[in-house]
Amino acid sequence: MPKPSALQAIRFEPPGTLTVLDQLLLPYDETLVPVTGIDDGHRVIKAMQVRGAPAIAIVAILSLVVDIHARPERWATASELLVYITEATHYLETSRPTAVNLFEATKRLRDTLASTIHVHPNLSVSELCQRVLEFGEAMLARDLSDNQRIGALGATWIQEQAPHRAPECKPEVPNASVQPRSPSTPATWRILTHCNTGALATAGWGTALGIARSLFQQVGEQLHVYCTETRPYMQGSRLTAYELVHDKIPATLITDSMAAALLASRTTNAIVVGADRVAANGDTANKIGTYQLAVVAHHHNVPFMVAAPWTSIDLTTPSGADIPIEERPSDEMVTAKGRVVPHTSSLHTELPADARVRLAAPGIATWNPAFDITPAHLISAIVTERGVITKSDSQATFDLAGSHARLFGV
Ligand SMILES: CSC[C@H]1O[C@H](OP(=O)(O)O)[C@H](O)[C@@H]1O
């Protein structure tokens, strides 16, 4: 398998070749994993070899594309194929429960195909396979363009709305991989982000990290990005840091526990995070640890921004209380099993293999929710590809149905 170019989580060659970058092994190993059908698609999503709300939806649909193109002779009619697609999409939905993008894409595909067959009852199996291929390719293209719009809108909003702090004498801790910033040019724009919301979580560019990329395009070295490690999967230290170093964006990694101290000691213009599901009132499900960042931002009067395409906004879910929160296996928290993390290197070769990957005392109980809910009243702005949505300080929630009607002209 050829060594992949970095930063492309999903590689699709129509109609039947799909591979994903195994994100459990990044940044130490760039390995492509073939996805030959819906079983592979379900497996790589559930195991988090591919992750990120948009990427999950795209890989699920593309795994169905490669699946039905493999042996289309299995179906005599388009209606038989639609039955298979309906069952297959419901199966793919069982891979991970929180990110709504997966459910939005599978429902939209089923509805689109059902109406297509209704309008064209003589559609052939190969013609229906082609429609599914076109649907998947459109998802890839739309996600990238949505992210670039989110990046541009978010970068502009930060420069126009986020309090612009005067540069401080204290230079940032230089990023070892890019030229250390000289003290004479301290950052004038600092943002903190959590988890990974970049090219590795999407079809490209990213959502919250897409805003960082766009801001870097606009202000260059005046930007400094802080990213949290994001235990236990370490999306921040393994994936976001990897993307920031790759793009030579000045950045500093902090542990999750350092966020409050950072805001207390460094003037920060905004905290920018992604979303797995935004409810109709603006409550947002995102990586565990997001809620406490919102509380810290509120305490320090720092704007808290959620970056999300409308495919992550679920108008059928009234509030955060209605969002299912995925709990991950205990061993993903108390061991490094299946994931490459620095401190399980071969330093302690004399220890038994299990000890080299164990991160907690054997026998301790764990609680390992993959997401938490940030209430709308702690969110300053929701940056979508159609516009930045805000609310007055007196409003505790957003009216996203009204925003949708206004922005989509429906
Ligand atoms: C651009 S969506 C990224 C979103 O997905 C992450 O979750 P996971 O890595 O478990 O798929 C995290 O919540 C990010 O904000």
Side-chain angles (χ1 to χ4, degrees):
M1 182 66 71
K3 192 171 174 61
S5 65
L7 303 191
Q8 199 182 349
I10 305 164
R11 291 160 177 78
F12 178 59
E13 292 166 29
T17 305
L18 173 63
T19 56
V20 296
L21 199 51
D22 186 342
Q23 299 190 33
L24 288 171
L25 303 181
L26 287 176
Y28 309 100
D29 189 3
E30 294 171 2
T31 298
L32 287 170
V33 175
V35 175
T36 61
I38 60 173
D39 290 334
D40 285 348
H42 188 282
R43 189 189 70 255
V44 298
I45 292 169
K46 186 172 180 64
M48 296 181 66
Q49 287 174 283
V50 65
R51 30 64 51 201
I56 288 170
I58 292 166
V59 167
I61 296 297
L62 291 181
S63 77
L64 176 62
V65 171
V66 297
D67 190 294
I68 61 176
H69 278 83
R71 286 186 298 114
E73 65 278 5
R74 285 174 279 175
W75 304 285
T77 66
S79 296
E80 284 179 17
L81 174 53
L82 182 56
V83 169
Y84 178 82
I85 289 171
T86 300
E87 292 167 355
T89 51
H90 286 310
Y91 165 64
L92 287 163
E93 288 165 0
T94 64
S95 55
R96 294 188 74 192
T98 303
V100 72
N101 310 58
L102 171 58
F103 302 87
E104 185 279 333
T106 50
K107 182 181 187 307
R108 186 156 48 85
L109 175 63
R110 292 191 295 265
D111 293 350
T112 301
L113 298 182
S115 63
T116 299
I117 290 179
H118 178 71
V119 172
H120 307 287
N122 299 322
L123 205 68
S124 68
V125 167
S126 62
E127 286 168 330
L128 193 63
C129 287
Q130 179 63 24
R131 298 298 177 92
V132 181
L133 169 59
E134 290 164 1
F135 185 95
E137 290 180 314
M139 282 184 74
L140 272 170
R142 175 179 165 190
D143 188 56
L144 179 58
S145 63
D146 285 354
N147 293 340
Q148 289 167 338
R149 284 290 300 151
I150 289 168
L153 290 168
T156 299
W157 193 87
I158 287 174
Q159 292 174 85
E160 292 178 352
Q161 303 293 335
H164 187 197
R165 273 53 177 195
E168 290 171 339
C169 60
K170 288 181 288 183
E172 312 304 326
V173 173
N175 180 318
S177 68
V178 295
Q179 286 307 315
R181 179 193 310 284
S182 65
S184 62
T185 55
T188 56
W189 296 102
R190 287 194 192 89
I191 60 176
L192 170 65
T193 193
H194 186 56
C195 197
N196 174 255
T197 58
L200 295 173
T202 65
W205 199 252
T207 56
L209 203 59
I211 291 176
R213 284 195 160 100
S214 298
L215 192 52
F216 183 59
Q217 280 184 331
Q218 294 177 23
V219 304
E221 294 285 305
Q222 296 311 309
L223 171 67
H224 202 97
V225 178
Y226 288 85
C227 58
T228 59
E229 282 182 329
T230 317
R231 270 193 51 78
Y233 182 99
M234 313 294 273
Q235 287 94 336
S237 61
R238 296 190 302 110
L239 307 179
T240 297
Y242 177 74
E243 293 202 40
L244 289 164
V245 169
H246 177 273
D247 287 17
K248 294 191 174 2
I249 297 173
T252 300
L253 176 67
I254 64 172
T255 65
D256 301 329
S257 53
M258 293 175 186
L262 175 71
L263 267 62
S265 65
R266 280 273 198 271
T267 53
T268 304
N269 300 93
I271 295 181
V272 193
V273 299
D276 291 83
R277 189 182 308 222
V278 183
N281 72 346
D283 293 348
T284 295
N286 196 53
K287 184 52 50 196
I288 187 73
T290 302
Y291 171 45
Q292 64 190 23
L293 290 178
V295 171
V296 170
H298 189 259
H299 178 74
H300 289 278
N301 193 30
V302 170
F304 188 84
M305 303 167 69
V306 169
W310 275 93
T311 50
S312 302
I313 296 175
D314 181 5
L315 299 178
T316 67
T317 295
S319 75
D322 310 295
I323 300 176
I325 298 295
E326 176 188 20
E327 296 218 12
R328 298 287 304 179
S330 172
D331 68 356
E332 291 185 359
M333 179 176 159
V334 296
T335 77
K337 211 170 286 179
R339 223 165 48 261
V340 182
V341 286
H343 43 277
T344 59
S345 66
S346 57
L347 288 180
H348 305 294
T349 50
E350 72 286 357
L351 291 174
D354 178 64
R356 286 205 298 272
V357 296
R358 177 164 289 284
L359 307 175
I364 186 64
T366 62
W367 179 52
N368 190 17
F371 304 99
D372 59 23
I373 301 292
T374 298
H377 72 85
L378 294 177
I379 297 171
S380 312
I382 299 173
V383 186
T384 77
E385 70 278 15
R386 292 288 184 113
V388 181
I389 305 165
T390 55
K391 57 181 172 52
S392 69
D393 289 345
S394 61
Q395 286 174 299
T397 59
F398 292 81
D399 171 17
L400 293 182
S403 301
H404 183 269
R406 175 171 50 82
L407 294 170
F408 284 80
V410 294

